Amino acid sequence: MQVQRPHPTAAITAMCLMAAVAANFFTLDHGGQALTYFAGALVLASPFAVLFLGHFTLARTWRRNAFLAGGSVVFAFGWAVASFAMRWFQAGWVGILFFGVVLALLACLYLLLALVIPERPNRQAV
């Protein structure tokens, strides 16, 4: 896999990642120091990190980049449900790890689905 220059649509995924980390950092209440809050926020925002890495490694044309950016919007709904469930049930670290792993695995499957989109080998992202 080659790492290439990100497409401008990667900014959508980056904004979703930053918003998810910031929102969970300030609103989750699982006790502990600031580092544990940040770690919990990163775990819940893991699907956006997976999709953001996909922009650098998997997508070379605008089609796959747009597909990944659209996936960020779709995963924002799943993240919102998981984040709400964390606040409602006060599940702690077990819930954070459960939702983080489930959302990250779904994001990995979404990346595999992006491989179905055809790309011309001689075209680069603009």
Side-chain angles (χ1 to χ4, degrees):
M1 262 189 267
Q2 289 182 335
V3 177
Q4 62 251 357
R5 198 178 83 211
H7 195 267
T9 57
I12 296 170
T13 306
M15 286 188 299
C16 288
L17 176 63
M18 289 184 292
V21 170
N24 281 333
F25 181 74
F26 292 115
T27 59
L28 280 180
D29 186 26
H30 49 78
Q33 304 293 327
L35 184 61
T36 60
Y37 283 110
F38 188 67
L42 282 179
V43 170
L44 278 179
S46 60
F48 302 112
V50 169
L51 293 177
F52 189 65
L53 289 175
H55 280 286
F56 288 101
T57 58
L58 180 70
R60 282 183 231 104
T61 61
W62 66 271
R63 288 180 184 145
R64 283 191 187 169
N65 279 298
F67 185 74
L68 293 177
S72 297
V73 175
V74 171
F75 276 101
F77 292 109
W79 169 84
V81 168
S83 186
F84 175 77
M86 290 302 303
R87 286 172 191 77
W88 184 266
F89 295 116
Q90 297 177 355
W93 279 102
V94 174
I96 288 173
L97 290 175
F98 174 77
F99 283 120
V101 168
V102 167
L103 287 173
L105 287 176
L106 288 174
C108 289
L109 290 175
Y110 193 80
L111 284 180
L112 289 177
L113 186 62
L115 289 174
V116 176
I117 298 173
E119 288 190 334
R120 295 183 186 145
N122 59 353
R123 302 263 325 225
Q124 294 294 323
V126 178

